[in-house]
Amino acid sequence: MKNLNNSLESPVNCVRCEVQFKEILELLDSLNRTIQDDEDISLILRDSLLVLSRRSEFLRGSVTILDRRSGRIFTKESFGFSSEEQNRGIYVLGEGITGEVVETGKPIMVERISADPRFLNRTGARRNVGEENTSFLCVPVKSNREVIGTLSIDRETGDLEETMRDLKVIEIVASMISQAVRLYRAHHEERQELISENLRLTEALEASLRPRHIIGETTNMRGLYAMVKRVARTNATVLILGESGVGKELVARAVHEESDRREKPFISLNCAALPENIIESELFGHERGAFTGAVAERKGRFELAEGGTIFLDEIGELSMNMQAKLLRVLQEREFERVGGMQTLRADVRVLAATNRDLEEEVRQTRFREDLYYRLNIIPLTVPPFTGTQG
């Protein structure tokens, strides 16, 4: 570097050197005014590259910054690159020339990129690297002794001494913009930290909203989770709608587990699985001798669910007779066992589910309208293809 220093300090060898030296001083003076005048950090970097772009030999240039959290080196500002090309300018430590400069903290001058396999052309801005007659100069940007990024320039391949002089120039420029790069990186890392924290809190909130045993992160599912939370705080009857197999019972169990009744029983019955005479006994219980085979008194599901929740799946399959008996329980909160005379009270929350269109069933007189409105106080629709676990 001795010759380079001499050429910068004593450019008196020839008229050409004097002209070049004057150009360099004008460039550095213009750059210094830019840094002094701009208050916005991004503008300092952008305008600094704009000053460099006025030097006719410089074809492209970029400032990269090392993100300490991710270990990635990303391109912050550039000239001679499209937005897409700039966005592709991402490296890791030791990768390509840029990664090597950040890792070692030493400048690298590639006299001809077509002859150096380290040159990756990650941005894709150089269409055919194998035919490029271009030099690549890359220097570290440092804060104290820490490498925080790079400044790189593509220039026309020419006189080696001139190229070396330009390398020295961009080292000076890298030193001048180091404060702006350091401040931008601190801002960037703080912002990334806030984004990560926001994402963590969002995921924690969604996890708290998501009931156990149910998975799914679609917008519809997140809406369902929030609705389950709200519904659970009430004591209202809930009608759960959805296709077969989407997990309606899991949603009913989630409503129970989020409610004040969570410590009490959750009892379920599939209304499509049993004939009418058995369903009545299952729901309300029976007395000894009430029918053939009733050799002992038996509690029904409503008694077993006392203080808790009863879930009636496939409610649309109930006969009109059983619908009338269920309506009485919902209205009066009382019932009798099959063959019994004693009226029993029912402190039970009723959740029902169906895959049928109950409004159409009402129109076809296959489902009682008064029961439908008693059940449909709060409807919950489960989106199709709900995943389940556990």
Side-chain angles (χ1 to χ4, degrees):
M1 303 295 286
K2 184 177 180 181
N3 292 336
L4 175 58
N5 288 332
N6 288 338
S7 62
L8 279 175
E9 295 168 3
S10 305
V12 293
N13 298 324
C14 63
V15 174
R16 181 182 179 190
C17 289
E18 290 178 356
V19 171
Q20 289 176 342
F21 188 72
K22 183 179 178 181
E23 289 177 353
I24 290 170
L25 289 179
E26 289 176 350
L27 182 148
L28 295 178
D29 182 58
S30 176
L31 184 62
N32 185 59
R33 288 198 305 272
T34 294
I35 293 173
Q36 295 297 323
D37 294 342
D38 283 340
E39 295 182 0
D40 184 281
I41 299 169
S42 292
L43 275 179
I44 290 174
L45 299 179
R46 191 174 308 143
D47 290 348
S48 297
L49 286 174
L50 182 62
V51 171
L52 289 176
S53 72
R54 295 172 186 153
R55 190 163 170 79
S56 59
E57 293 86 354
F58 293 169
L59 307 175
R60 284 172 286 269
S62 65
V63 174
T64 67
I65 297 177
L66 171 63
D67 183 338
R68 288 172 292 189
R69 294 179 69 255
S70 66
R72 298 197 314 168
I73 305 161
F74 64 94
T75 303
K76 171 63 181 81
E77 297 292 345
S78 66
F79 72 86
F81 296 89
S82 67
S83 297
E84 294 77 11
E85 290 168 345
Q86 176 176 309
N87 291 338
R88 290 196 292 264
I90 298 175
Y91 309 86
V92 297
L93 285 174
E95 182 181 40
I97 295 171
T98 299
E100 185 176 337
V101 168
V102 174
E103 187 174 53
T104 64
K106 297 179 180 179
I108 293 178
M109 184 194 75
V110 176
E111 190 174 359
R112 185 171 283 102
I113 62 175
S114 57
D116 197 315
R118 294 175 300 173
F119 189 81
L120 301 179
N121 191 29
R122 178 61 52 79
T123 62
R126 298 86 174 176
R127 300 307 175 194
N128 190 343
V129 175
E131 298 177 1
E132 282 272 355
N133 191 31
T134 303
S135 298
F136 183 69
L137 317 180
C138 185
V139 301
V141 178
K142 297 181 180 180
S143 176
N144 296 323
R145 296 184 178 181
E146 180 190 6
V147 179
I148 57 178
T150 69
L151 171 63
S152 61
I153 293 292
D154 285 19
R155 78 179 309 280
E156 295 175 351
T157 299
D159 181 77
L160 180 59
E161 184 177 349
E162 291 179 7
T163 304
M164 290 291 293
R165 184 181 296 114
D166 283 341
L167 180 66
K168 187 64 178 179
V169 168
I170 66 170
E171 283 188 295
I172 295 171
V173 174
S175 177
M176 295 174 71
I177 66 172
S178 63
Q179 176 73 352
V181 172
R182 184 184 67 80
L183 290 173
Y184 179 82
R185 184 173 76 162
H187 172 75
H188 169 78
E189 291 180 344
E190 181 180 5
R191 182 172 179 271
Q192 292 302 113
E193 186 67 31
L194 289 174
I195 291 173
S196 297
E197 179 66 8
N198 184 59
L199 180 60
R200 185 189 68 78
L201 291 174
T202 300
E203 290 175 346
L205 177 61
E206 290 179 351
S208 69
L209 287 175
R210 185 171 63 243
R212 292 189 307 131
H213 315 300
I214 304 179
I215 60 175
E217 296 300 335
T218 64
T219 301
N220 287 341
M221 288 303 297
R222 287 195 293 269
L224 176 64
Y225 302 152
M227 193 66 179
V228 165
K229 287 279 187 181
R230 290 196 292 270
V231 166
R233 301 190 193 106
T234 75
N235 201 39
T237 302
V238 177
L239 181 61
I240 303 172
L241 308 170
E243 300 173 0
S244 296
V246 295
K248 295 189 288 294
E249 182 170 352
L250 293 175
V251 172
R253 189 177 293 276
V255 172
H256 171 74
E257 291 179 350
E258 295 290 337
S259 74
D260 293 337
R261 296 175 178 265
R262 67 178 69 88
E263 302 299 328
K264 298 296 183 177
F266 176 84
I267 304 297
S268 64
L269 177 69
N270 188 322
C271 300
L274 299 169
E276 180 179 347
N277 61 325
I278 301 298
I279 284 182
E280 184 176 7
S281 174
E282 285 293 324
L283 285 175
F284 308 124
H286 61 255
E287 300 290 349
R288 180 180 178 182
F291 50 83
T292 302
V295 296
E297 175 189 286
R298 184 174 184 275
K299 291 183 178 182
R301 305 293 174 100
F302 272 96
E303 283 185 80
L304 294 173
E306 178 64 21
T309 304
I310 187 168
F311 172 60
L312 304 177
D313 198 6
E314 303 300 346
I315 193 76
E317 305 299 325
L318 285 179
S319 67
M320 296 297 283
N321 180 48
M322 283 305 305
Q323 290 177 36
K325 294 182 179 182
L326 177 59
L327 178 63
R328 181 195 171 199
V329 178
L330 293 177
Q331 289 176 328
E332 308 297 334
R333 296 294 171 178
E334 58 184 34
F335 62 94
E336 291 83 32
R337 292 176 185 161
V338 177
M341 301 295 292
Q342 180 184 3
T343 299
L344 303 173
R345 297 290 300 173
D347 176 20
V348 175
R349 184 181 191 178
V350 176
L351 308 178
T354 183
N355 61 2
R356 290 194 177 193
D357 182 347
L358 289 189
E359 289 188 4
E360 179 62 25
E361 295 295 298
V362 169
R363 284 193 290 269
Q364 297 295 329
T365 67
R366 291 192 292 262
F367 200 86
R368 292 180 63 108
E369 185 175 14
D370 47 5
L371 176 58
Y372 170 67
Y373 287 113
R374 279 284 178 178
L375 292 172
N376 196 40
I377 294 175
I378 300 179
L380 279 182
T381 300
V382 184
F385 310 116
T386 303
T388 60
Q389 67 178 6

